[in-house]
């Protein structure tokens, strides 16, 4: 096992022999993808072929631990995901619930900043307050104005809405330059250190240039959507020459967690995989907003983001999605201080008083 | 509507007013992502905000057609997917079933070759026979040997297994050069024109260079995995200076179709979205193999791949996944001649007689 990594699957099966047969089928599917009797002896059979390490009943289903060779993926992140769940994602009755990187941990060091790094950068004493710049269709001037109000109010991070990319109504370069300048102005005026994270999105072939431009413009971190661009984008951003913090957004990832019959556990998708890719903050929809995650699922995500034994540094869970200012105390009770609270549409209702609203919120959360 | 594109959603709701309210919520969620009363008047409200065009009952659920502005995504493919289903992917009771590009069709011309182009390139008279080079862990020499046998037997395309990337046990450059040479040798010996499609996968930042290398080595097309690298990779490959045919593989895409409660219809995911991105062949798991797609779902996919009124050129459906040589007649009866039949593990059982098996299959399918 020392040169292998291991994946835990929750298998829906009637009996233990059925679950074991299913596990053996997964071990084939995720590696050689040929019938067992056609597997060539030697390296392919002894090393490449997935190995069922353990099958045990749990909560009306079965849990199987299957190990794979480092040779199957090398240091490639997309190929690691391919081995974990590529073809098996198309079979029902199967969910990925845990990943033990083993010696592969060297290739996937995780977040550059994480929970502690972001607290150092922002100086936050309580949870991080993260207003979202929106809506799509606003002019760069308008978005910069919102950013400035939020920074003056003492927001820890202003992040862009995931719907702002490089489209005609929000050209990346003009927008990012104006917002970065506005946040810098506010920071200078207040002696603050609000960070600004633009959304790195557009034509995939342009993303590297967009990130370069943003860095030159003075941004403090990046937002990325692994569901639309692959987890490789998160890794690329985390591995830049001078890394900045990376926040991930759940857009297009819903189907991986919404079915009990396929996909990943909530903790695995919005905790483990984000840490694996190098995210510092993982955004997910909080319980009670417009999305249907339960309190238990959200707690599992927060735990997976912050567990010391997870991949690399502990990272910040970023609950959002329909949050309002008056839910802040409730959220703090649920998540504690090591979290980033996203504030979206409800903040816009405050209009020119957005900054005051954030200042009040911050005062309350720093108590 | 002339400057807008439209998306059709299947909504699970009890009553028509509920379905209509849900549709209005989707129109907000997918664009401005703020409460309705906070939407600024003018451009944002009049143009950016999604518009519910129609809601109607259908088969125990409701079908809603929502239009969006071209301004929301410009010509970006990932952002188009973001508008279609980004955040709504995280809400239950909702499936995307159709896309009407409208004027956006100019930005998404679809496949460069498609069904007819591939028939011209291969000279195939019946369905295309597409053996898969595997298993992972095989040496480049061994894979080249399999490719040569298949090409000598008259395979139309030899494609690499999606588990061959750029990992240590199958370094891309060595493997691709050897296989391209082997296929060229076989073609020269037989006067054939078997095409070779390597899998473009590895570290995301290397993919462009891998495709360049492959083109120089003389490959005839590319395999791509949009589930792991994003649909943007398919588009990038389809938009190269000298485009080669692109075949897409369903790895990691399962959760988007396996639940009735979220995701895309089978036809949308393995037909429409593949055509949108520029694929020429869309691989999906055939009914009766190791995966659970029904005959009706497979027929829907084939229809969506080949429908003349779809995006760009009609493309080839590529049923695979546990296919055996003796199922070829049944598959032909189901899919007709405009399809690419993948042959995987069962072919390997033939050992050195793989070429003969393919020649027999080809003779049978050309009758």
């Amino acid at each position: 096992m020392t040169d292998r990594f291991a994946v835990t699957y929750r298998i829906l099966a009637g009996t233990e022999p059925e679950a074991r047969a299913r596990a053996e089928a997964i071990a084939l599917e995720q590696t050689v993808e040929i019938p067992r009797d056609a597997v060539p002896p030697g390296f392919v059979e002894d090393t490449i072929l997935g190995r069922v390490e353990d099958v045990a009943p749990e909560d009306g289903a079965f849990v199987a631990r299957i190990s794979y060779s480092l040779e199957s993926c090398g240091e490639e992140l997309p190929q690691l995901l391919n081995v974990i769940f590529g073809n098996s994602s198309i079979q029902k009755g199967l969910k990925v619930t845990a990943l033990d990187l083993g010696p592969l941990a060297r290739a996937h060091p995780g977040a550059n900043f994480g929970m502690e790094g972001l607290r150092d950068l922002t100086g936050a004493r309580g949870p991080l307050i993260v207003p979202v710049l929106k809506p799509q269709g606003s002019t760069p001037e308008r978005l910069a104005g919102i950013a400035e109000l939020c920074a003056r109010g003492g927001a820890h991070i202003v992040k862009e809405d995931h719907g702002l990319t490089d489209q005609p109504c929000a050209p990346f370069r003009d927008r990012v330059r104006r917002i970065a300048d506005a946040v810098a102005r506010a920071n200078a005026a207040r002696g603050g250190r609000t960070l600004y994270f633009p959304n790195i999105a557009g034509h995939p072939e342009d993303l590297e240039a967009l990130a370069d431009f943003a860095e030159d413009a003075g941004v403090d971190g990046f937002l990325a959507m692994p569901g639309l661009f692959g987890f490789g984008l998160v890794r690329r951003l985390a591995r830049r020459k001078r890394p900045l913090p990376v926040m991930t957004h759940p857009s297009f990832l819903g189907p991986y967690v919404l079915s009990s019959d396929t996909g990943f556990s909530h903790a695995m998708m919005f905790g483990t995989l984000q840490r694996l890719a190098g995210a510092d903050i993982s955004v997910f929809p909080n319980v009670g907003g417009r999305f249907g995650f339960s309190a238990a699922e959200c707690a599992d995500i927060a735990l997976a983001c912050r567990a010391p034994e997870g991949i690399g540094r502990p990272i910040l869970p970023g609950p959002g999605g329909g949050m309002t200012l008056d839910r802040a105390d409730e959220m703090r009770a649920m998540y504690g201080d090591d979290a980033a609270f996203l504030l979206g549409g409800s903040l816009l209702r405050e209009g020119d008083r957005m900054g005051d609203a954030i200042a009040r919120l911050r005062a309350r959360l720093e108590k």
Side-chain angles (χ1 to χ4, degrees), chain A residues 4 24 27-28 31-32 36 39 43-51 67-69 72:
Chain A
R4 299 175 79 81
E24 296 290 351
L28 283 166
T31 54
V32 293
R36 184 65 184 87
V39 176
F43 177 69
V44 177
E45 182 171 39
D46 299 341
T47 301
I48 291 294
L49 179 62
R51 197 178 295 156
S67 74
Y68 302 101
S69 168
S72 285

Side-chain angles (χ1 to χ4, degrees), chain A residues 91-315:
Chain A
Q91 294 175 329
K92 288 191 182 185
L94 183 66
K95 239 178 170 3
V96 184
T97 59
L99 169 65
D100 175 1
L101 283 179
L104 205 47
R106 282 192 301 273
H108 301 284
N112 290 300
F113 299 87
M115 204 160 84
E116 291 308 319
L118 278 161
R119 199 168 286 292
D120 289 347
L121 287 172
T122 58
R125 285 188 284 143
L128 273 61
I129 300 171
V130 185
V132 183
L133 304 178
K134 49 170 130 176
Q136 186 187 94
S138 306
T139 60
E141 290 85 344
R142 166 81 181 136
L143 294 167
I146 296 173
E148 188 158 358
L149 287 173
C150 292
R152 281 185 183 264
H156 297 104
I157 301 173
V158 290
K159 78 167 267 289
E160 290 185 343
D161 183 54
H162 75 286
L164 305 178
T165 65
D166 193 23
Q167 71 268 64
C169 68
F172 186 87
R173 289 176 172 80
D174 183 32
R175 184 180 88 223
V176 167
R177 196 192 315 266
R178 284 177 195 270
I179 298 172
D181 288 351
V183 172
R185 249 190 332 265
N187 280 338
R190 183 179 74 87
R193 38 174 158 161
T194 299
L195 311 181
Y196 162 44
F197 289 17
N199 184 25
I200 303 298
H203 289 296
E205 57 271 32
D206 297 338
L207 300 184
E208 209 67 48
L210 296 182
D212 288 345
F213 177 90
E215 187 187 318
D216 291 345
V219 308
D220 308 286
F222 302 116
L223 181 73
M225 296 183 281
L228 289 165
F229 294 94
F231 279 91
L233 172 61
V234 182
R235 184 189 167 95
R236 287 178 79 170
L237 291 172
R239 292 244 164 161
R240 286 171 60 82
K241 203 169 286 172
R242 188 174 79 80
L244 295 174
V246 182
M247 177 187 285
T248 47
H249 188 281
S251 178
F252 219 69
L253 288 176
Y256 288 107
V257 301
L258 289 189
S259 165
S260 61
D261 214 20
T262 178
F264 295 85
S265 66
H266 288 70
M268 182 83 192
M269 173 51 73
F270 295 111
T272 309
L273 292 189
Q274 311 297 331
R275 289 175 74 161
L276 175 68
D280 298 282
I281 304 176
S282 170
V283 174
F284 62 92
N286 193 28
V287 56
R290 308 184 304 279
F291 303 87
F293 287 16
S294 71
E297 287 160 353
C298 290
D300 284 349
I301 291 170
L303 194 66
C305 285
R306 300 187 296 211
E309 68 276 17
I311 297 166
R313 295 178 172 81
I315 69 170

